Amino acid sequence: IAAFGAAARRPAAALEGFSLGVSHRAAVGQRWPLALLAGLRGPVDLPKYALGSAATALSLTLPIQLLLGYVLAPSRPAITCLHLAVAWAQVCRQGPLWGAIFVAVREEVRGRVT
């Protein structure tokens, strides 16, 4: 009970770094926007952030990945489908970014040439 009282008396900033690490690591999908927005409220305590991320990796995401690997290992088609899904996700993630860069560079070159 004393531990709960001590946690309640801690300032929010002390728990913020750890909880940011946990929420960032446990997030599904694109994590870079979360990482980008994490510092909007001010500086983040890096050691606590790293501790939260590592704790979540060891207790949640790593066991899930190991279990999926164990279950899918005997099935070659499942592994192929998983590889294709990851490749498609990367194309969907990076494709629009490279398209926007291409258009911006093309417009910049076109503006300087004419």
Side-chain angles (χ1 to χ4, degrees):
I1 294 176
F4 291 116
R9 287 191 300 268
R10 277 190 208 141
L15 297 174
E16 191 171 274
F18 185 82
S19 63
L20 276 173
V22 169
S23 63
H24 185 251
R25 183 66 192 165
V28 176
Q30 302 296 326
R31 294 181 186 156
W32 65 268
L34 293 175
L36 192 62
L37 296 173
L40 283 180
R41 291 183 52 200
V44 176
D45 186 6
L46 185 60
K48 289 182 182 174
Y49 179 87
L51 181 64
S53 183
T56 306
L58 291 174
S59 64
L60 181 70
T61 57
L62 184 63
I64 290 172
Q65 291 171 359
L66 290 173
L67 179 66
L68 280 173
Y70 178 76
V71 169
L72 294 177
S75 175
R76 201 112 161 107
I79 296 295
T80 303
C81 288
L82 189 60
H83 280 42
L84 290 173
V86 169
W88 181 250
Q90 291 302 317
V91 166
C92 290
R93 174 181 166 197
Q94 299 293 337
L97 175 66
W98 284 107
I101 290 171
F102 174 76
V103 168
V105 169
R106 184 183 68 196
E107 294 300 321
E108 182 68 24
V109 169
R110 187 178 290 163
R112 289 184 184 208
V113 169
T114 58

